[in-house]
Amino acid sequence: MAVSMRDLDSAFQGAGQKAGLEIWRIENFNAVPVPKSSYGKFFTGDSYVILKTTASKSGALRHDIHYWLGKDTSQDEAGAAAIKTVELDAALGGRAVQYREVQGHETEKFLSYFKPCIIPQEGGVASGFKHAEAEKHKTRLFVCRGKHVVHVKEVPFARASLNHDDIFVLDTELKIFQFNGSNSSIQERAKALEVVQYIKDTYHEGKCEVAAVEDGKLMADPETGEFWGFFGGFAPLPRKTASDDDKPTDSRPPKLLCVEKGQAEPVETDSLKRELLDTNKCYILDCGFEVFVWMGRNTSLDERKSASGVADELVSSTDQLKPQIIRVIEGFETVMFRSKFDSWPQTTNVTVSEDGRGKVAALLKRQGVNVKGLLKADPVREEPQPYIDCTGHLQVWRVNGQEKILLQVSDQSKFYSGDCYIFRYTCPGEDKEDCLIGTWIGKKSVEEERASANSLASKMVESMKFLASQARIYEGNEPIQFHSILQSFIVFKGGLSDGYKTYIAEKEIPDETYNENGVALFRIQGSGPDNMQAIQVEPVASSLNSSYCYILHNGPAVFTWSGSSTSAEDQELVERMLDLIKPNLQSKPQREGSECEQFWDLLGGKSEYPSQKILREAENDPHLFSCHFSKQYFQVTEVYNFSQDDLMTEDIFILDCHSEIFVWVGQQVDSKSRMQALTIGEKFLEHDFLLEKLSHVAPIYVVMEGSEPPFFTRFFKWDSAKSAMLGNSFQRKLTIVKSGGTPHVDKPKRRTPVSYGGRSSSVPDKSQRSSRSMSVSPDRVRVRGRSPAFNALAANFENPNARNLSTPPPVIRKLYPKSTPDSAILAPKSAAIAALSSSFEQPPSARESMIPRSLKVTSVMPKSNPENNDKEKSVSSRVESLTIQEDVKEDEVEDEEGLVIHPYERLKITSADPVSNIDVTKRETYLSSAEFKEKFGMSKDAFYKLPKWKQNKLKMAVQLF
């Protein structure tokens, strides 16, 4: 579409450059900006153009344009607003969706911009209207309809306007009454209270009383009597009469018309298909209550204006209920428009370029307008965050038939693809302990055990009175929260369950269950020590990928392979995973392009393999839906511009983030619907209401009101006091409105942590939990949730009985085997404090980071000296009740750094008198500093800064490896 400066209204220059609302009023057929202080204030005699700009997670800006027509606006002004909307779209590059909004029949999307409601005022700038002047308060009656956004309409102040089906707000000088029809829902009543609050703040400066009147309530209630007194006393209400608002929508089949030379001609077709739409033409799709205007990319601005005019005439000439007109551009069709067609391809061959927007930007730039927002923004790349406390307690069960088997701590992060697992993770929350119960479904698991896993997990949630959140996770689609809980996660081929063994026996399928003595290939992936995975893949060359590192073993023969696109961090993850998969064995490093023949022989020879990283489903902008589920149908309604207040305690909502979905269940939902929450999530994935290619195996979370985890509340401006309130939605809102704000809610006391399976579930305080750092020694013993300084000293030698890890502890090879508790010498607490303090003040050397002093952690707490009290207080939150003891026996020799040493002749692998009880994989650590420099030609600090493969090479040269 060609654009010239004369086609653009100067009022639109620079529009849509940042997220938010922009509003223009039509005055003398020109668009005049409305001051921000007047946003949401509309006059019945005017027409407006409203631009909503939304910034997506990718950084791109999305535009929705609405033109609002007051009930008393002139036909000419309405036409001008329609034309200005097309011009504004052209100025934005021709991508916006355009909506026609008629007073009293606005779309829910439009009303969501002006929550809780809009109440148009009498007046206008055209046809002799003047804006209403401030006058003495006038008693008015409004009818309110809607569960998610409220349509407010002023009706005559008379008893005849009332009925049993709707909610009415009576605004008097001293008090606002809300009359709840007996047939209205709790949700509608709650939403209407937001209108009451709006009227109170807008027209009474927040200073008036509020009263709720129930339909059918006895006159003995003083507020009820006061309400009916305004209508001359109580009398039975008339039956509700049908009005334009209540007419059923036209459900006839959609009719397609082609617009040429200002005329709309029907398109003869048996079924609607995308191929019917020509990119050089404009079309009208008449669906009764909704009328769509489709504009091809190659149509001119005049042709688009003409098509819009034809649609307006079509709507004006009909006797239907005021239809909505929605205009869409080729390539940017809405979900609703696409759903009207019998077939719509997933991808079209339309070339969408930046030319239109670029040309407009160039024209505006010449006039000195900042055009930054018109140009496509660079995608915002964010590292996903788990939003979960990783200092909690984990239990894992493997499902076997109808039973679950608790796994040992050392095995709880080792899963098999042919099995299903249940996990329970508890961690400290804001006010109480948070709990997540979930199922992990292996790709090769049998259907019976999948159903059993979900059933057992649901029963666990039910036994906790639905206070826990629930997750359903499929192999290969694990969310960041799952990986952060397990931290080091291994997926083996095959399975251990009876169901899997029976299935492969019946189908005569070879058993591929992992054998540590056989050939196995693992792809190593992850973002760091607290999020790393090893996935067993087919042991063939085509399973390799240049963007990953791999571990290949055949019994004791172990190879590590690093792709050409991997980083030092990726290679470090391989070293960590080796300690879990093949501890105590030395690997043979292989770089892509310089592999040995034995490596290729184990993989069956060379072959082509990919080089691109495996992409995971990205998190998209969230969409909130309310849903109603029964055996007959499943219905959802999108809630636009949502907030926490939209979550009604009587309903079930779905938050769709594309990569995962959340099913939120209110406290007032009946138990039967509550038990179906997971099924509702599965149905939502199956229907794919947004036509966004939702994966059927995307993670599903079931979240209970009052127990919302941080990885759910992050999508809202969350107030935990609101979800802790008692009563239904209406009662809660009424309390807030009457009190003038959110009521105070006493926070429940945090539950006392309990011990599970012999492992302590105690957790550090909040100052420690805020740090998600993880210390890793050469032995890969990992401690979470403590300060880095503390970890640097104590992580490698912490008492395993006091550990609180969610991952199996790797094999700990003692560097000082002779150091035992019996020979330990207790040091005063002040010495431990001093050791910690010195670690805060200066960073440790490379040697100290790799080989800490022999330290032990105990719960004994000797008395400290008085002069050290101040220093103790400053770090007491980090030390807690632990003390660190030096553990060196009197007959052992130490070097100048306090480490046990042995002579080189006894340490080398060919020694005639070898030293016993040492870590044979770290012989060099027992050399004195002088002897180390003599053999390696460098200091220990310099040595430990070298890559692991180079260290091993140097150690082999001096017979220490």
Side-chain angles (χ1 to χ4, degrees):
M1 178 183 69
V3 179
S4 65
M5 285 304 299
R6 64 181 177 80
D7 296 324
L8 300 176
D9 192 313
S10 59
F12 298 143
Q13 292 183 4
Q17 295 188 42
K18 59 182 180 180
L21 274 178
E22 294 172 81
I23 303 178
W24 296 264
R25 184 170 54 221
I26 303 301
E27 298 181 10
N28 298 322
F29 308 107
N30 294 316
V32 178
V34 173
K36 287 188 182 295
S37 59
S38 297
Y39 282 11
K41 191 180 295 183
F42 295 91
F43 291 91
T44 61
D46 289 337
S47 296
Y48 296 81
V49 175
I50 299 95
L51 169 63
K52 172 66 172 178
T53 303
T54 308
S56 64
K57 287 183 70 70
S58 66
L61 296 177
R62 187 176 67 250
H63 302 291
D64 291 290
I65 307 173
H66 306 254
Y67 61 105
W68 185 88
L69 309 177
K71 65 182 179 66
D72 299 319
T73 192
S74 68
Q75 193 66 37
D76 290 340
E77 269 197 356
I83 291 173
K84 291 300 178 184
T85 300
V86 178
E87 290 182 17
L88 177 56
D89 173 54
L92 296 170
R95 301 175 178 211
V97 181
Q98 304 158 45
Y99 303 83
R100 175 179 180 263
E101 308 285 354
V102 178
Q103 180 182 341
H105 305 278
E106 296 88 353
T107 62
E108 291 201 355
K109 174 175 273 193
F110 176 80
L111 290 175
S112 71
Y113 305 153
F114 307 101
K115 288 182 178 180
C117 64
I118 60 171
I119 301 179
Q121 302 177 36
E122 294 293 329
V125 296
S127 305
F129 281 94
K130 291 185 179 180
H131 293 165
E133 299 294 332
E135 55 185 24
K136 187 179 179 181
H137 190 278
K138 176 186 175 184
T139 299
R140 297 184 296 175
L141 183 65
F142 302 94
V143 62
C144 302
R145 297 188 179 100
K147 285 177 58 175
H148 309 300
V149 293
V150 189
H151 293 262
V152 180
K153 181 180 179 181
E154 186 173 357
V155 294
F157 175 32
R159 187 200 316 276
S161 298
L162 303 175
N163 61 62
H164 298 294
D165 299 315
D166 295 321
I167 297 161
F168 295 84
V169 174
L170 179 64
D171 178 22
T172 70
E173 185 173 2
L174 300 177
K175 186 179 285 190
I176 303 173
F177 297 87
Q178 176 172 317
F179 175 82
N180 299 319
S182 56
N183 297 331
S184 62
S185 69
I186 293 294
Q187 297 92 320
E188 289 176 310
R189 299 178 186 186
K191 275 297 173 184
L193 275 172
E194 295 180 7
V195 177
V196 170
Q197 183 69 56
Y198 172 79
I199 293 174
K200 178 181 176 181
D201 294 338
T202 306
Y203 301 105
H204 298 267
E205 299 180 347
K207 300 174 183 177
C208 74
E209 294 184 41
V210 172
V213 177
E214 298 299 323
D215 183 12
K217 198 167 187 180
L218 297 177
M219 289 288 292
D221 185 298
E223 290 182 335
T224 301
E226 188 179 357
F227 171 79
W228 286 112
F230 285 97
F231 297 92
F234 175 80
L237 293 181
R239 185 181 296 274
K240 183 179 179 181
T241 58
S243 65
D244 285 347
D245 299 331
D246 307 307
K247 288 182 181 177
T249 58
D250 195 343
S251 59
R252 59 184 171 78
K255 183 169 63 175
L256 185 65
L257 303 97
C258 179
V259 180
E260 289 187 281
K261 298 179 180 180
Q263 299 295 321
E265 298 295 334
V267 176
E268 299 298 332
T269 180
D270 294 330
S271 64
L272 285 176
K273 297 181 179 179
R274 168 64 181 83
E275 293 75 18
L276 295 171
L277 305 177
D278 185 347
T279 187
N280 299 302
K281 297 179 180 179
C282 293
Y283 294 83
I284 292 175
L285 185 65
D286 185 359
C287 303
F289 180 62
E290 295 170 320
V291 175
F292 294 91
V293 180
W294 184 89
M295 297 174 279
R297 294 292 300 178
N298 294 336
T299 54
S300 67
L301 186 60
D302 288 337
E303 287 175 318
R304 296 182 182 186
K305 289 180 179 179
S306 174
S308 299
V310 172
D312 285 342
E313 291 176 9
L314 178 68
V315 168
S316 301
S317 63
T318 183
D319 57 356
Q320 307 171 37
L321 167 64
K322 303 275 193 297
Q324 297 173 353
I325 297 179
I326 302 170
R327 304 198 291 247
V328 296
I329 308 295
E330 180 183 6
F332 299 93
E333 296 87 354
T334 63
V335 171
M336 190 60 69
F337 177 81
R338 286 181 281 152
S339 67
K340 303 296 183 184
F341 286 72
D342 299 321
S343 64
W344 191 278
Q346 294 289 354
T347 56
T348 59
N349 296 323
V350 177
T351 303
V352 180
S353 68
E354 292 288 324
D355 291 347
R357 184 170 294 201
K359 289 176 181 177
V360 173
L363 290 170
L364 296 178
K365 194 171 183 180
R366 291 175 197 161
Q367 295 191 349
V369 177
N370 181 359
V371 295
K372 181 180 178 182
L374 285 179
L375 300 176
K376 187 176 181 180
D378 292 331
V380 178
R381 298 197 177 191
E382 299 178 353
E383 279 293 322
Q385 298 297 320
Y387 296 97
I388 192 169
D389 191 316
C390 294
T391 63
H393 175 82
L394 176 71
Q395 290 178 291
V396 180
W397 294 264
R398 178 170 53 80
V399 175
N400 192 49
Q402 300 299 315
E403 300 177 345
K404 62 182 193 292
I405 302 170
L406 181 65
L407 299 186
Q408 297 291 329
V409 173
S410 58
D411 294 329
Q412 63 184 12
S413 66
K414 299 175 181 178
F415 288 24
Y416 286 81
S417 189
D419 293 337
C420 296
Y421 296 82
I422 298 172
F423 64 90
R424 178 171 65 189
Y425 181 70
T426 53
C427 62
E430 182 182 349
D431 301 321
K432 59 180 183 293
E433 193 174 61
D434 288 339
C435 182
L436 176 64
I437 295 174
T439 54
W440 183 89
I441 311 297
K443 288 181 178 178
K444 299 294 182 68
S445 60
V446 297
E447 193 61 42
E448 292 79 5
E449 290 188 341
R450 294 184 179 191
S452 177
N454 287 328
S455 175
L456 290 169
S458 296
K459 289 178 180 177
M460 290 173 67
V461 173
E462 186 179 5
S463 69
M464 295 184 65
K465 298 182 179 179
F466 297 97
L467 294 176
S469 299
Q470 186 175 355
R472 188 218 64 178
I473 298 168
Y474 276 90
E475 178 187 350
N477 288 270
E478 298 88 354
I480 182 76
Q481 291 81 19
F482 180 81
H483 285 152
S484 297
I485 290 171
L486 273 78
Q487 298 201 341
S488 55
F489 180 52
I490 306 173
V491 180
F492 295 115
K493 281 181 166 293
L496 304 177
S497 70
D498 295 339
Y500 174 79
K501 297 295 186 186
T502 302
Y503 176 80
I504 61 173
E506 290 176 351
K507 301 292 183 180
E508 298 182 351
I509 300 172
D511 189 353
E512 57 179 7
T513 302
Y514 172 72
N515 179 0
E516 63 180 8
N517 296 317
V519 179
L521 179 66
F522 293 88
R523 183 180 70 246
I524 310 302
Q525 61 193 37
S527 60
D530 54 350
N531 176 3
M532 56 183 183
Q533 303 91 46
I535 312 299
Q536 187 178 0
V537 295
E538 288 294 324
V540 293
S542 59
S543 296
L544 299 175
N545 187 313
S546 300
S547 295
Y548 295 94
C549 295
Y550 290 78
I551 295 174
L552 173 65
H553 74 70
N554 182 19
V558 182
F559 295 88
T560 60
W561 184 86
S562 302
S564 58
S565 300
T566 58
S567 63
E569 289 78 10
D570 296 327
Q571 293 160 25
E572 176 65 18
L573 293 185
V574 172
E575 296 295 328
R576 296 175 185 275
M577 276 300 183
L578 271 174
D579 285 344
L580 298 175
I581 297 174
K582 281 291 181 179
N584 303 320
L585 289 179
Q586 179 56 37
S587 65
K588 300 176 183 177
Q590 307 287 307
R591 293 289 302 180
E592 182 177 6
S594 58
E595 300 88 349
C596 65
E597 288 301 320
Q598 186 183 1
F599 175 82
W600 292 119
D601 289 344
L602 286 177
L603 294 178
K606 296 182 180 180
S607 70
E608 292 186 359
Y609 51 81
S611 60
Q612 298 297 318
K613 219 173 183 69
I614 300 171
L615 296 177
R616 298 181 62 86
E617 290 284 359
E619 182 180 280
N620 287 356
D621 300 300
H623 293 262
L624 184 68
F625 298 86
S626 71
C627 57
H628 181 75
F629 177 68
S630 68
K631 292 182 179 179
Q632 287 76 27
Y633 67 101
F634 179 48
Q635 181 182 5
V636 301
T637 303
E638 182 165 4
V639 181
Y640 300 100
N641 297 294
F642 62 84
S643 67
Q644 182 184 356
D645 289 334
D646 291 311
L647 300 174
M648 295 286 190
T649 188
E650 296 80 16
D651 288 338
I652 294 177
F653 289 82
I654 292 178
L655 187 69
D656 174 13
C657 307
H658 184 72
S659 59
E660 57 195 13
I661 67 168
F662 298 84
V663 182
W664 183 90
V665 183
Q667 292 177 356
Q668 301 284 328
V669 171
D670 63 89
S671 58
K672 183 179 179 181
S673 298
R674 190 177 297 175
M675 293 297 294
Q676 293 178 322
L678 190 59
T679 303
I680 290 173
E682 292 172 340
K683 285 288 184 183
F684 184 86
L685 292 177
E686 180 184 327
H687 283 81
D688 192 13
F689 292 97
L690 292 180
L691 304 180
E692 54 179 330
K693 302 181 189 176
L694 276 178
S695 170
H696 287 194
V697 294
I700 299 175
Y701 291 101
V702 177
V703 176
M704 300 297 171
E705 182 184 12
S707 302
E708 295 89 348
F711 52 87
F712 172 79
T713 60
R714 67 188 176 97
F715 296 103
F716 303 80
K717 290 182 180 178
W718 196 259
D719 182 356
S720 56
K722 289 182 178 180
S723 60
M725 294 178 66
L726 300 176
N728 61 39
S729 298
F730 174 71
Q731 292 166 340
R732 295 180 186 186
K733 288 275 177 71
L734 185 60
T735 303
I736 293 173
V737 170
K738 285 192 172 184
S739 65
T742 304
H744 173 73
V745 177
D746 291 330
K747 293 185 177 181
K749 293 182 180 179
R750 181 176 294 173
R751 303 177 209 154
T752 303
V754 295
S755 178
Y756 297 92
R759 273 175 55 183
S760 169
S761 65
S762 60
V763 296
D765 60 23
K766 286 200 173 188
S767 65
Q768 293 171 328
R769 283 190 277 116
S770 64
S771 172
R772 297 178 183 271
S773 62
M774 181 171 305
S775 297
V776 182
S777 73
D779 297 311
R780 273 62 173 190
V781 181
R782 298 163 42 230
V783 180
R784 294 176 300 181
R786 294 177 177 155
S787 67
F790 188 93
N791 285 330
L793 289 172
N796 298 282
F797 298 91
E798 187 178 10
N799 181 357
N801 294 325
R803 290 162 61 94
N804 190 29
L805 303 182
S806 65
T807 55
V811 176
I812 302 176
R813 300 181 289 256
K814 292 186 68 176
L815 200 57
Y816 308 101
K818 295 183 180 179
S819 301
T820 62
D822 294 335
S823 62
I825 301 174
L826 289 178
K829 183 177 178 181
S830 58
I833 302 295
L836 278 175
S837 300
S838 64
S839 71
F840 298 150
E841 294 164 4
Q842 64 182 59
S845 64
R847 175 191 175 99
E848 291 168 337
S849 299
M850 297 295 290
I851 320 169
R853 286 175 61 91
S854 179
L855 302 172
K856 284 191 176 292
V857 179
T858 179
S859 58
V860 179
M861 183 165 52
K863 292 183 179 180
S864 60
N865 295 330
E867 60 269 19
N868 290 323
N869 285 345
D870 292 339
K871 186 172 288 188
E872 288 175 15
K873 289 179 181 178
S874 65
V875 292
S876 61
S877 62
R878 295 174 182 266
V879 180
E880 296 178 276
S881 61
L882 302 174
T883 63
I884 302 176
Q885 311 168 36
E886 293 194 10
D887 189 25
V888 180
K889 294 183 72 173
E890 292 181 3
D891 59 345
E892 289 184 328
V893 182
E894 292 184 343
D895 69 357
E896 65 276 11
E897 297 184 21
L899 295 171
V900 179
I901 62 172
H902 296 286
Y904 168 75
E905 293 301 324
R906 295 191 65 193
L907 289 170
K908 64 181 182 179
I909 57 177
T910 57
S911 174
D913 182 22
V915 181
S916 60
N917 296 325
I918 64 168
D919 184 351
V920 295
T921 66
K922 293 179 172 56
R923 297 173 185 269
E924 79 284 356
T925 62
Y926 302 94
L927 290 172
S928 66
S929 298
E931 203 165 16
F932 188 98
K933 192 162 187 177
E934 176 188 341
K935 297 299 180 183
F936 288 97
M938 66 183 75
S939 66
K940 290 188 178 182
D941 281 343
F943 177 80
Y944 289 118
K945 290 178 181 177
L946 297 174
K948 188 73 177 284
W949 65 268
K950 198 165 186 177
Q951 293 178 24
N952 293 338
K953 188 175 181 181
L954 292 173
K955 284 156 60 176
M956 290 173 69
V958 294
Q959 299 183 20
L960 289 176
F961 192 78

